[in-house]
Amino acid sequence: MKVLVPLELIDLKDDGFHLLVEVVAFGHVFNIVLDTGASRTVFDKTTVEQYIDPELLLRSELLSAGLGTVSMESYTLTIPSLKLADLEIIDFQAAILDLSTICSTYQNLNLPPVIGVLGGDILGEYKAVIDYGKLTLKLIA
C-alpha cells in the first residue's frame, strides 16, 4: 500500500527551512519535523508527559548523540498508535528526549509547535520518498 503524506514547508527566517508532517498520537494531531539525518524518531519528553502517565517512560541506557550533547537522559515509550495520513503504526517504539530547545525555537519564531522529529527508523522501514516539488512524502506499507 502506497501512502502519500502531505508536507508543510516552514521558513526558518534566515536559517533555512524544515519540512513538517502531521501525525496523530495519543489521540491528538501534532506536527513533527521530517529529519532525514536523524537515525530514530524522537518525541519531546515534556509534550509527551502531558498525554501519558510519566511512569510509562522507560529509561534508556543509550546516550543521545547529535543533539549537541552525549549526556542527555533518554527514554523509550511504546506509542499504541502513530498515524501518518493513512498509515497507522501500531505499538511504535519511540525515543523520548528533552527537545525543549527545538520546541522553544519554533515558539520564538511564531511557528507551529512540534512534538519531535521523524527519523530514519520510519523513513527507512517504509521506503520513504520525499517530493519537494509536490510537498509529499510517499511511504510504502
Side-chain angles (χ1 to χ4, degrees), residues 5 7 10 14 23 31 33-35 43 47 53 59 68 72-74 76 87 89 92-93 116 127 133 140:
V5 182
L7 298 173
I10 297 293
D14 293 327
V23 298
N31 288 309
V33 178
L34 177 62
D35 187 349
F43 288 83
T47 305
D53 179 347
R59 185 172 292 231
M72 183 183 294
E73 285 186 347
S74 64
T76 59
L87 173 66
I89 304 170
F92 178 69
Q93 296 293 316
K127 300 169 187 63
I140 299 173

Side-chain angles (χ1 to χ4, degrees), residues 103-122:
C103 294
S104 64
T105 297
Y106 267 67
Q107 184 177 23
N108 292 340
L109 293 172
N110 293 317
L111 295 172
V114 295
I115 194 171
V117 296
L118 181 67
D121 51 353
I122 290 176

Side-chain angles (χ1 to χ4, degrees), residues 54-70:
E55 292 187 15
L56 293 174
L57 295 176
L58 302 174
R59 185 172 292 231
S60 173
E61 297 302 317
L62 299 175
L63 297 178
S64 300
L67 292 171
T69 179
V70 292

Side-chain angles (χ1 to χ4, degrees), residues 4-60:
L4 281 182
V5 182
L7 298 173
E8 181 179 357
L9 185 70
I10 297 293
D11 185 357
L12 297 177
K13 311 306 180 214
D14 293 327
D15 199 24
F17 64 91
H18 280 169
L19 292 171
L20 296 185
V21 177
E22 191 174 272
V23 298
V24 177
F26 315 110
H28 296 274
V29 177
F30 299 97
N31 288 309
I32 194 165
V33 178
L34 177 62
D35 187 349
T36 60
S39 58
R40 295 208 45 206
T41 298
V42 180
F43 288 83
D44 175 55
K45 183 175 183 285
T46 301
T47 305
V48 167
E49 286 178 334
Q50 296 176 36
Y51 300 96
I52 65 155
D53 179 347
E55 292 187 15
L56 293 174
L57 295 176
L58 302 174
R59 185 172 292 231
S60 173

